[in-house]
Amino acid sequence: MNNQTQIKFCQNCKKDFSVESEDFSFYQKMGVPAPTWCPDCRLQRRLSFRNERALYKRVCELCGIDTISRFNPDREVHNYCGECWWGDKWDAGSYAMDYDFSKPFFTQFKELLGKVPQQNLIVMYKTLTNSNFTNMNHYLKNCYYIFNSDYNERCMYGEEMEHCTDCIDVTMTDTTQLAYEAVNCNKCYEIYYSVDCESSHDIWFSKNLVGCSNCIGCINLRGQQYCIFNEKYSKEDYHKKLEEFNLSSYSGINEIRDKSLKFWLGYPNKYMHGIQNLDSTGDYVYHSKYVKNSFLVQESEYCKYCMWLIVKNNKECYDFTQFGENTEKIYETLTSGKNSNNIIGCINALDARDLTYSVYCYSNNSNLFGCLSMKGKKYCILNKQYSKEEYEELVPKIITHMNEMPYVDKNGRTYVYGDFFPTEISQFDYNETSAQEFFPLDKEEALKNGYSWKEPKDRNYQISIRSIDLPDDIKEVSDDVLSDVIGCAHEGKCKEQCTTAFRITESELQFYKSHKLPLPRFCPNCRHYQRVVYRNPNKLWTRKCMKTGCDNEFQTSYSPDREEIIYCEKCYQQEVY
């Protein structure tokens, strides 16, 4: 194989992309060909198999109890509750299929997907206490509608939360308490409408504060107290000014938010979020080395095109999206990790070795090819058990067959060994997956690209109050609002998985009243989409430092058309620290 950098033509978006010499070395090590889809299209394809937020009511087909499920009841998916799926009353091996060399591999795997029961949610159900309406979590207590989060208590409407308590509508928070509408805030207490803050408390509408308290509308401060728009106040004057802002009203919140966003634009931002990295590119990358074009990654080495590797110690991984923890040599894989290595094209593979195109396979699996819902198995193909010798003889033949008889989708795109699953066999509609969040499409665009689309259904509720008619000030809100069905301000006319209506729960109302916060006007999904605009995109541009006299060049997730001032790390540290 020629290991020189090559320019490829993406068979999906029809744009050029490069495959570097280091990439070819990795592909050789994994025994896969170079990809024919560009990095963005590969990520979009993986995310189209990840339904985080769309939840439904479905019956467990084994025990008959009602469940909350990530599978639309209209989909031909066999749904088991967590207890039944993990139990011993059924055997995934009973759905075994013989490999058929007259059909493409992915056609056969799609048939297996339609047969084998799958767990209703991606959770460790025994670790959840009064937290059923959640997904992609474990170790939660009294939580509601949070996702991709662990070790939290009394939290609602958030995602990517770790070790948090009493937080509502937050994203990317760790070890934080009493937060509302916060993004990428860690070790904070009582923080509202703020971004990129650490070790701070009693903070409002602020960005990139460290070790601060009692601040509003501030940016880039260190160890400061009683500041408003970076101006120092006495304690008494600060609290007097705070009352004047009228933050208990929705109109007051909007006014100070707009003022804060404009104020932030006058101060520099570091080109990336990250510390203690060696020769790494991307954003939200921490304590890593030789990590390239990756996002939300910590303590990893020699990884590229990765995302959400939020648990440490990952080595030599490419196109790996979500999870991690002691992983090595992972390729084109989604939501997997924990002591896993040599994984290709898998979804939810945990504690696994030498797995290929296997889905929801947990608990010390090894040497599985094209398997589904297997636990503690080895040497299986399409859920059929083989001897070690039979397995090792058959797998190379299957790989050859995948290359000689590739799967061809409706758009004429081919899928060979090493490619992730074809988008059209996903069990989720495009607009209920994470792909819609990072690569938003409308119905026409999605269908044109070969995705399925979920049509809105008639709701069995009547909206009792429009969001525009809610009281402006939380002081004017009575407990009667708990019985209201509130119409989302977007009315379903957006690309944000709008639920068109929402309710206020009793604990949520208590939170708003105790912290003097106005009621939200949008449904939880729309609030999520509005919040994540404060998280930089998963895309890099080459730019120069904007500090006068500095010519340092870097890759950054701040696009050239954005208004923010962007500095290289050296210039940023000189000005902020």
Side-chain angles (χ1 to χ4, degrees), residues 303-361:
C303 294
K304 197 169 186 179
Y305 307 126
C306 292
M307 173 180 171
W308 279 327
L309 300 191
I310 56 177
V311 187
K312 64 182 181 180
N313 195 19
N314 307 287
K315 299 179 181 179
E316 292 190 279
C317 301
Y318 269 52
D319 292 282
F320 180 16
T321 301
Q322 193 183 350
F323 193 4
E325 187 179 3
N326 302 323
T327 64
E328 187 170 356
K329 292 193 292 185
I330 313 291
Y331 178 57
E332 276 284 24
T333 287
L334 176 68
T335 323
S336 299
K338 193 175 182 181
N339 307 319
S340 296
N341 64 78
N342 199 30
I343 308 296
I344 298 174
C346 292
I347 303 174
N348 283 88
L350 274 70
D351 192 17
R353 291 155 297 284
D354 302 302
L355 263 60
T356 309
Y357 296 118
S358 294
V359 178
Y360 313 129
C361 292

Side-chain angles (χ1 to χ4, degrees), residues 138-150:
H138 67 277
Y139 294 101
L140 304 181
K141 185 175 181 181
N142 299 323
C143 291
Y144 179 76
Y145 213 75
I146 68 171
F147 306 94
N148 192 17
S149 303
D150 311 304

Side-chain angles (χ1 to χ4, degrees), residues 204-207 215-219 227-230 260 263-264:
W204 293 78
F205 299 101
S206 294
K207 182 177 183 179
C215 293
I216 183 166
C218 295
I219 181 172
C227 293
I228 299 175
F229 296 108
N230 283 26
S260 298
F263 180 76
W264 294 353

Side-chain angles (χ1 to χ4, degrees), residues 40 189 212 249 371 397 400 412 451 494 532 535 547:
D40 280 353
Y189 180 81
C212 295
S249 72
C371 291
K397 295 178 181 178
T400 299
Y451 300 108
C494 62
V532 297
R535 177 182 64 195
K547 179 74 176 288

Side-chain angles (χ1 to χ4, degrees), residues 216-273:
I216 183 166
C218 295
I219 181 172
N220 291 349
L221 298 184
R222 300 292 183 268
Q224 297 297 313
Q225 188 177 25
Y226 301 120
C227 293
I228 299 175
F229 296 108
N230 283 26
E231 181 181 347
K232 185 77 171 179
Y233 283 73
S234 68
K235 179 179 179 180
E236 293 76 16
D237 288 343
Y238 173 86
H239 285 292
K240 181 179 179 181
K241 190 72 174 177
L242 193 63
E243 286 295 322
E244 294 175 2
F245 285 136
N246 195 23
L247 298 180
S248 62
S249 72
Y250 192 69
S251 57
I253 288 291
N254 286 333
E255 181 179 350
I256 196 68
R257 178 194 281 119
D258 291 343
K259 186 175 180 180
S260 298
L261 292 175
K262 291 177 182 178
F263 180 76
W264 294 353
L265 292 175
Y267 292 79
N269 298 266
K270 192 171 79 169
Y271 75 103
M272 73 174 292
H273 301 82

Side-chain angles (χ1 to χ4, degrees), residues 323-485:
F323 193 4
E325 187 179 3
N326 302 323
T327 64
E328 187 170 356
K329 292 193 292 185
I330 313 291
Y331 178 57
E332 276 284 24
T333 287
L334 176 68
T335 323
S336 299
K338 193 175 182 181
N339 307 319
S340 296
N341 64 78
N342 199 30
I343 308 296
I344 298 174
C346 292
I347 303 174
N348 283 88
L350 274 70
D351 192 17
R353 291 155 297 284
D354 302 302
L355 263 60
T356 309
Y357 296 118
S358 294
V359 178
Y360 313 129
C361 292
Y362 305 136
S363 302
N364 198 28
N365 288 293
S366 65
N367 297 283
L368 303 183
F369 198 109
C371 291
L372 178 62
S373 295
M374 303 289 272
K375 298 181 283 290
K377 299 291 185 179
K378 58 183 178 180
Y379 303 118
C380 298
I381 300 172
L382 296 177
N383 284 29
K384 182 177 179 179
Q385 183 70 61
Y386 292 86
S387 68
K388 180 178 183 293
E389 294 73 21
E390 290 171 332
Y391 180 89
E392 291 176 346
E393 180 181 358
L394 184 53
V395 165
K397 295 178 181 178
I398 294 174
I399 294 173
T400 299
H401 174 249
M402 291 181 70
N403 293 325
E404 293 179 347
M405 185 184 286
Y407 182 93
V408 182
D409 68 17
K410 296 175 182 178
N411 285 28
R413 297 167 297 200
T414 59
Y415 301 78
V416 299
Y417 178 72
D419 288 324
F420 194 69
F421 295 104
T423 56
E424 63 189 22
I425 77 168
S426 173
Q427 295 175 301
F428 309 110
D429 295 310
Y430 188 87
N431 55 329
E432 63 180 0
T433 70
S434 300
Q436 178 68 357
E437 177 179 329
F438 291 90
F439 302 92
L441 301 175
D442 58 28
K443 177 183 176 181
E444 182 179 352
E445 293 169 329
L447 296 177
K448 181 180 178 180
N449 282 278
Y451 300 108
S452 60
W453 189 262
K454 182 180 71 173
E455 296 288 356
K457 288 188 174 182
D458 292 335
R459 305 283 183 169
N460 59 353
Y461 53 73
Q462 292 291 324
I463 292 173
S464 60
I465 185 171
R466 298 181 304 165
S467 60
I468 196 173
D469 295 325
L470 289 171
D472 182 57
D473 198 303
I474 189 65
K475 299 171 187 175
E476 303 166 358
V477 177
S478 71
D479 289 352
D480 293 342
V481 75
L482 297 175
S483 60
D484 279 321
V485 177

